[in-house]
Amino acid sequence: MEGLKFLVVSVVLALASSFASASDPSPLQDFCVAMNETMVDPQQVTEKDFFFSGLNVPRDTSSPVGSNVTAVNVAQIPGLNTLGISLARIDFAPYGGLNPPHTHPRATEILVVVEVGLIHFQLNVGKTNAVALASLSSQNPGVITIANAVFGADPPINPNVLTKAFQVDKKVVDYLQKQFWTDNNN
Ligand SMILES: *[C@@H]1O[C@H](CO)[C@@H](O)[C@H](O)[C@H]1NC(C)=O
Ligand SMILES: *[C@@H]1O[C@H](CO)[C@@H](O)[C@H](O)[C@H]1NC(C)=O
């Protein structure tokens, strides 16, 4: 009986785990430009709806985390609507510029370092600015920066919960919840 229970539990756990992979549903048409108005004549669509300029321009990386994310998603290019893709430029300051640990709830991401830099896990340990380009499998990937979401939540998460979850002294949690949690996403 114990053996059977163990088997059932193992099978349930095995079925419950899977590799995470997120993306938009497959598009059903060639394009469908996002508009605020509900009734839009497709004839009004222009090349501007598919255009964004300035990705070549270096961004200011003086924020406390030393990075600056320029998102190019459906909010910047309305023509990306239903195309299931977007991108971002990430500028890293030298000597420790960091794109803090985060997740994209609606997308999987590929990151390419395009300008000299020594980036380990989104941390630039090189002595020059570094730039990476991210390709994301969603028109609106979303971003959850872990530290901000946990310690900078508004309203705050109950400190007793965080104290127990992180197994630290309550003072540590109080300290972290008092910090200003920078957002490096524009
Ligand atoms: C659509 O509306 C939102 C919110 O009112 C606004 O921020 C945005 O700029 C508008 N977009 C366009 C393309 O007009
Ligand atoms: C990113 O860079 C732009 C332009 O250099 C600047 O206006 C913006 O404030 C910067 N954002 C952050 C979060 O540092």
Side-chain angles (χ1 to χ4, degrees), residues 45-59:
V45 169
T46 69
E47 72 280 2
K48 282 198 196 106
D49 295 317
F50 296 86
F51 187 73
F52 178 90
S53 72
L55 260 195
N56 55 328
V57 181
R59 299 310 203 264

Side-chain angles (χ1 to χ4, degrees), residues 8-20:
V8 171
V9 170
S10 312
V11 169
V12 169
L13 286 180
L15 290 176
S17 69
S18 69
F19 289 105

Side-chain angles (χ1 to χ4, degrees), residues 5-183:
K5 251 192 219 163
F6 177 74
L7 185 68
V8 171
V9 170
S10 312
V11 169
V12 169
L13 286 180
L15 290 176
S17 69
S18 69
F19 289 105
S21 169
S23 68
D24 293 347
S26 291
L28 297 174
Q29 63 279 305
D30 290 339
F31 65 82
C32 174
V33 173
M35 298 273 175
N36 283 342
E37 303 81 13
T38 45
M39 300 292 286
V40 168
D41 182 350
Q43 304 286 340
Q44 290 178 357
V45 169
T46 69
E47 72 280 2
K48 282 198 196 106
D49 295 317
F50 296 86
F51 187 73
F52 178 90
S53 72
L55 260 195
N56 55 328
V57 181
R59 299 310 203 264
D60 175 9
T61 56
S62 62
S63 80
V65 287
S67 66
N68 192 326
V69 178
T70 308
V72 185
N73 56 44
V74 70
Q76 290 78 28
I77 304 182
L80 284 181
N81 187 40
T82 76
L83 296 188
I85 197 161
S86 60
L87 55 93
R89 173 191 167 114
I90 306 126
D91 285 72
F92 296 85
Y95 299 117
L98 170 72
N99 189 12
H102 61 274
T103 65
H104 296 288
R106 290 180 291 279
T108 306
E109 176 179 17
I110 299 176
L111 197 80
V112 183
V113 178
V114 290
E115 230 173 88
V116 278
L118 218 50
I119 298 179
H120 297 307
F121 301 104
Q122 307 234 16
L123 173 73
N124 179 16
V125 295
K127 57 182 181 210
T128 55
N129 267 311
V131 180
L133 277 187
S135 174
L136 298 125
S137 63
S138 167
Q139 65 179 35
N140 185 13
V143 61
I144 299 173
T145 305
I146 312 296
N148 303 33
V150 172
F151 299 108
D154 182 20
I157 300 176
N158 185 325
N160 296 328
V161 170
L162 294 180
T163 303
K164 203 153 197 178
F166 286 85
Q167 304 189 10
V168 291
D169 198 283
K170 177 139 181 308
K171 273 188 228 136
V172 177
V173 170
D174 289 342
Y175 173 81
L176 288 169
Q177 285 192 320
K178 270 196 214 106
Q179 303 306 304
F180 173 75
W181 293 95
T182 307
D183 184 6

